[in-house]
Amino acid sequence: MISIGQHKLLCGDLTHGAIRTLMGDERADVVYVDPPWGPGMLQAFATMNVRGSAPHLSWPDFLRAFCDAVVEARAPRAPVFVEMGWKWAPDLDRAMADVGLLRRRCWPIAYGPKSAPWWNALTLYGPDDVALEMPDPPHGEAVTRAVLAAVVRPGMVVLDPCTGLGMTARVTHKLGGAFRGVELNSGRLERAAAWLRKHS
C-alpha cells in the first residue's frame, strides 16, 4: 500500500481482491476507470505484470470480477464511468447489468491523434441524474477533467481500479478529491505515485 497525503494506491490484481484490500470499509463516491478493452488487451496487460496475475483469465471472467469489485467498492448511488472500445462495450453493459448497474448515458470519446482520432465509448452506470458537458473535441485528459469536475467535490473518494499511469489520480488531486487506485503493473503504478508525491 502506498499512502501519499489523502491518496492511497496499491499494486495488485483486481480479480484477486486488490480493491477490497485497498478500500477496506471505505466506499468510493465516484468510480472512473479505463479497463482493458477485450481479451487481447487483457492478456497483454497480464503479461506485463511482474506479480504473476492469471495470464489465462477469460474475458467474461475478467468482466465478472471487475463488475463485482466495482459494485462492492462503490457507495450507494455513486456514479461509475467506464471508458471502453465500442466493440467491447456491449459485453460490459451485460456484465454491469448482471450486478445491478444499468447503462444510463454513453458519450463518444476520441483516442489517438486529434487529426485522425479513433472513437470509443464512455459509459455512465448507476444514477441517472449526472449532468455534464463534454469538451469539444472529447479527447484524452480533457474528458477525464470534464467528467470528474462535474461530480467530484473536495474530500470525495474517487476510485480507479485500473490506475495505469495515473490520469484519474492527477485530475482527482487537482479537484481536492481523495484518490484510490489499483494497478497491476508496478512500474506504471510508480509513475502515478511519483506525480502525486511531487504535487502533494
Side-chain angles (χ1 to χ4, degrees):
M1 186 89 69
I2 301 171
S3 294
I4 304 168
Q6 64 179 338
H7 313 302
K8 294 180 182 178
L9 304 95
L10 179 68
C11 187
D13 187 338
L14 67 85
T15 69
H16 288 86
I19 296 175
R20 185 179 301 116
T21 299
L22 174 71
M23 298 297 290
D25 293 330
E26 189 175 47
R27 292 296 174 263
D29 300 300
V30 179
V31 179
Y32 190 103
V33 57
D34 177 9
W37 298 357
M41 189 179 285
L42 175 64
Q43 298 311 321
F45 279 113
T47 301
M48 285 174 57
N49 179 38
V50 297
R51 290 176 171 255
S53 67
H56 302 296
L57 186 69
S58 74
W59 176 239
D61 287 345
F62 170 78
L63 286 179
R64 188 159 36 250
F66 170 80
C67 294
D68 285 343
V70 166
V71 165
E72 182 179 349
R74 70 186 280 267
R77 293 198 52 75
V80 178
F81 297 91
V82 186
E83 296 185 18
M84 181 61 66
W86 283 120
K87 180 177 180 180
W88 309 108
D91 294 344
L92 179 65
D93 284 349
R94 287 188 290 270
M96 283 291 197
D98 286 345
V99 296
L101 288 177
L102 301 180
R103 181 174 72 167
R104 299 301 187 180
R105 293 189 65 188
C106 186
W107 299 267
I109 58 172
Y111 274 70
K114 293 183 180 179
S115 59
W118 62 89
W119 292 91
N120 298 286
L122 173 68
T123 304
L124 166 65
Y125 299 93
D128 57 3
D129 58 352
V130 175
L132 64 93
E133 186 173 333
M134 277 291 167
D136 185 15
H139 189 279
E141 190 165 342
V143 170
T144 309
R145 287 198 305 268
V147 172
L148 294 183
V151 294
V152 175
R153 300 294 175 264
M156 280 188 171
V157 174
V158 179
L159 170 65
D160 184 348
C162 302
T163 296
L165 299 175
M167 184 182 295
T168 303
R170 294 193 298 271
V171 176
T172 298
H173 176 76
K174 291 174 183 177
L175 292 169
F179 180 73
R180 302 290 181 266
V182 167
E183 170 55 39
L184 195 62
N185 182 268
S186 58
R188 289 164 67 86
L189 186 76
E190 181 50 42
R191 288 179 64 179
W195 190 96
L196 290 173
R197 289 190 191 99
K198 181 177 180 180
H199 294 89
S200 292

